[in-house]
Amino acid sequence: MKFVCEGIILSEAALTVSKACATKTVTPVLECIKMEAKNDTLTLTAYDGEISIEKKIPVEILEEGEVCVNGKFFSDFVSKISFSELIISSNEKGIVIRYGDSESNVQTLPADDFPVFNGDLIDKENYFETAEEDLKELVSKVAFCCATDESRPILKGALLEAKEGKLYATALDGFRMACGYCDTQTGAGSMKIVCPARTLVEISRMLDGEGKVKIYADKNRLSVALKDTVITSRLYVGEFVRKENIFPISFDTKVIVKKNELIESVERSAVLTRGDKNNLVLFDIKHGKIVVSANSDMGKIEETVVADLEGKELKIAMNGKYLLEALKALTEENVLLSFNTPVAPFTVDNVEDRRFEYLVLPVRTSNA
């Protein structure tokens, strides 16, 4: 293999693809980027067992071939080369990277060892299509609630349901839940999949917010092509928690409050409880106000935020971090907090735009 390419284009492509390289594995080839030089195109592919990213860039090929190189090392190294033109060739020991009057040698693995994960086999009739801007918003406002630990692997993904002209997304980690939707078109009727959160985030990063994106999926895989990049991912299989089984259908206490004032008060409380496991913040909800308080070894804080209460007064404790993330995902000046009891889940919503909803579990205290 031997080809000539622009350094900045190769660096950007390697950085994009390296996000799918494994970091902790007993299979070294999963840490690699596979480079295939053919037909004046260099195809870079990485696959960590869950997600695959493939990117094609134009190069001048002097000799066709393919090889695997450590993805993290290669992307970092190439990004540090300031020369505009690179000449890369392979030999029995690895690859040689030439730039200016210098050259470096990098060890490689055989391309035959690289696993095959082909998204082209997905039925192209099964898809949903959305505006790029809408999908970016949906991912940004839902995916952060996906679980990050391995105790319940399916919760590391988000439930996507495409039906009746809408794409619904649901994510939860056992302590809070996010739900939202955007407009969509589907191919062969309705679809229901559980997609890894990191796959959704990588897709979102590659959207420029213009035009539409079409995502193909079957029972076990998902694939999307974005310009010269193809992302293919495994899907989680299993029964996902249903929003309808968790969200309360009525509330005894509803409070409308200015979002920014509440955020600032909770953030000050969070400074006091920084490092505590639960980031515990207390709300004493009364007519006309919410008394926000927090206690720690560093001291005590108690602030009053003006609020409009409908229903019963209430005292409740919660994780300040979870509340803040929900509040910051909302867009309106005023937000609606809805409660039942000090130990029942409560919701955080915009007052008018109800496309996105958040549910947070309270923290049980000795008083509760």
Side-chain angles (χ1 to χ4, degrees), residues 124-129 185-191:
K124 298 306 181 182
E125 295 297 321
N126 295 321
Y127 70 87
F128 58 85
E129 183 179 30
Q185 295 178 343
T186 59
S190 61
M191 291 177 56

Side-chain angles (χ1 to χ4, degrees), residues 126-338:
N126 295 321
Y127 70 87
F128 58 85
E129 183 179 30
T130 69
E132 291 191 11
E133 182 180 14
D134 291 345
L135 185 60
K136 283 182 74 73
E137 182 183 29
L138 188 65
V139 172
S140 69
K141 293 183 180 299
V142 172
F144 69 87
C145 284
C146 291
T148 56
D149 61 71
E150 298 288 346
S151 59
R152 294 184 65 185
I154 197 170
L155 297 186
K156 293 175 67 178
L159 175 67
L160 301 180
E161 292 184 271
K163 60 182 181 180
E164 300 174 352
K166 304 289 183 185
L167 175 63
Y168 297 91
T170 304
L172 74 156
D173 62 6
F175 302 99
R176 43 50 186 295
M177 173 184 279
C179 300
Y181 69 87
C182 65
D183 294 330
T184 190
Q185 295 178 343
T186 59
S190 61
M191 291 177 56
K192 180 179 175 181
I193 59 175
V194 181
C195 182
R198 62 185 293 254
T199 300
L200 291 175
V201 171
E202 291 302 331
I203 292 173
S204 178
R205 284 175 178 166
M206 296 179 190
L207 301 176
D208 57 20
E210 299 179 0
K212 293 190 174 183
V213 58
K214 187 177 288 188
I215 298 178
Y216 301 93
D218 57 22
K219 183 178 180 181
N220 300 309
R221 294 166 301 174
L222 170 149
S223 179
V224 57
L226 302 166
K227 301 178 178 65
D228 52 9
T229 304
V230 177
I231 297 179
T232 306
S233 174
R234 295 190 184 279
L235 300 175
Y236 294 136
V237 178
E239 191 65 29
F240 200 84
V241 178
R242 301 292 301 182
K243 167 191 171 182
E244 295 80 5
N245 297 335
I246 295 181
F247 266 76
I249 58 176
S250 62
F251 297 95
D252 296 328
T253 301
K254 295 183 178 180
V255 186
I256 294 178
V257 61
K258 289 189 177 298
K259 181 184 71 173
N260 289 338
E261 290 183 9
L262 187 58
I263 286 176
E264 290 173 1
S265 182
V266 175
E267 283 183 332
R268 286 190 287 269
S269 298
V271 171
L272 194 66
T273 59
R274 184 180 297 156
D276 292 354
K277 179 181 178 181
N278 290 319
N279 300 300
L280 194 65
V281 175
L282 302 169
F283 277 13
D284 187 357
I285 302 169
K286 301 179 178 180
H287 285 283
K289 64 182 180 181
I290 299 176
V291 179
V292 181
S293 62
N295 288 279
S296 75
D297 294 338
M298 297 296 295
K300 178 180 179 180
I301 186 171
E302 185 172 294
E303 299 185 357
T304 298
V305 179
V306 176
D308 183 10
L309 170 63
E310 176 187 330
K312 301 177 181 179
E313 294 185 347
L314 179 75
K315 291 183 179 181
I316 190 169
M318 66 204 66
N319 185 307
K321 173 179 179 290
Y322 296 156
L323 177 63
L324 282 172
E325 290 181 340
L327 289 170
K328 291 178 179 180
L330 299 175
T331 56
E332 294 181 356
E333 179 182 358
N334 295 319
V335 294
L336 172 66
L337 307 179
S338 303

Side-chain angles (χ1 to χ4, degrees), residues 20-23 25-33 46-49 109 114-115:
C21 291
T23 54
T25 178
V26 296
T27 310
V29 75
L30 294 182
E31 299 177 358
C32 290
I33 292 174
Y47 173 56
D48 64 0
L109 293 175
F114 196 82

